[in-house]
Amino acid sequence: MSERPTPTPPQERPSHGGADSDAALDALLRTALGGDVPGFDPKAHYRHIRDRIARARPRGWSGRWAQGFRVLRRAWTLAASFGLGAACAAVLIFALRPQWPHPAAPIEPLGQAQSQVSAKGVVLQVRFRNDIALSTLLSTLRAVDAEVIGGPGALGIWRIRVPSEAQKQSLRLLAADPAVVEVHPAP
């Protein structure tokens, strides 16, 4: 049941181009405009533009002075803007500056400061277990009448001072304490 389409005869086709359709469109436009299109005179138009340019151009010294003042005003505006920005930056630099006149104090990490050891005692180096409580550590130090003079260092070694007459007894008590890993006299 396939039917072939039959071609449309040329008399019934709408005109989509050609001289007949152009002429019909032209006639339709002329009637819509109400007559012929007005003419265009290029020479008169060029003279009109040239006269307007000549009137806009500054004449004599007064025009040049006005133009010079406009250039100066633009340059002054840019210079003033730059100067104001530089002044604000200078004020901020001095207002927010760090304390330059004061020298920086040396920073000593915890346990690295060495105090002055008096001649009244002997310095021992002690390493405690990592899992003991602070109260256990303090009670161990009190038992041998020790004073902490440094530590813990990077290796976990404490420097303590004990009375010189009790050095052997302090070494023996600290070595027997379960909280102490190692103890020996400081070099």
Side-chain angles (χ1 to χ4, degrees):
M1 300 249 193
S2 66
E3 293 182 15
R4 291 183 177 250
T6 57
T8 310
Q11 298 86 348
E12 296 177 14
R13 284 189 203 150
S15 60
H16 290 292
D20 293 337
S21 63
D22 290 342
L25 179 63
D26 189 35
L28 185 62
L29 286 174
R30 285 184 191 278
T31 56
L33 291 174
D36 286 335
V37 179
F40 176 71
D41 186 11
K43 290 181 181 180
H45 188 67
Y46 176 72
R47 273 192 309 270
H48 177 68
I49 292 173
R50 189 180 60 204
D51 291 341
R52 288 184 64 189
I53 290 172
R55 279 182 287 180
R57 192 175 305 153
R59 299 276 183 195
W61 286 103
S62 64
R64 288 189 184 126
W65 277 103
Q67 186 177 9
F69 281 129
R70 275 183 294 211
V71 170
L72 184 63
R73 189 176 358 172
R74 264 189 251 139
W76 175 253
T77 303
L78 291 174
S81 298
F82 179 77
L84 184 61
C88 288
V91 166
L92 287 175
I93 285 172
F94 285 111
L96 301 177
R97 73 173 198 260
Q99 300 299 325
W100 289 334
H102 305 294
I107 299 173
E108 295 179 6
L110 177 67
Q112 299 300 318
Q114 301 292 326
S115 65
Q116 298 295 330
V117 178
S118 68
K120 295 181 182 178
V122 177
V123 177
L124 302 176
Q125 291 182 341
V126 182
R127 191 166 62 116
F128 293 96
R129 283 193 352 229
N130 292 334
D131 60 342
I132 64 166
L134 182 62
S135 60
T136 307
L137 185 135
L138 292 175
S139 65
T140 302
L141 292 176
R142 273 191 221 110
V144 292
D145 195 24
E147 175 187 1
V148 176
I149 58 171
L155 299 175
I157 296 176
W158 293 72
R159 292 174 45 94
I160 62 172
R161 181 175 45 222
V162 295
S164 42
E165 59 273 354
Q167 175 186 2
K168 290 183 182 180
Q169 182 184 3
S170 298
L171 280 170
R172 196 176 58 240
L173 286 174
L174 287 172
D177 195 319
V180 176
V181 175
E182 65 178 299
V183 59
H184 51 83

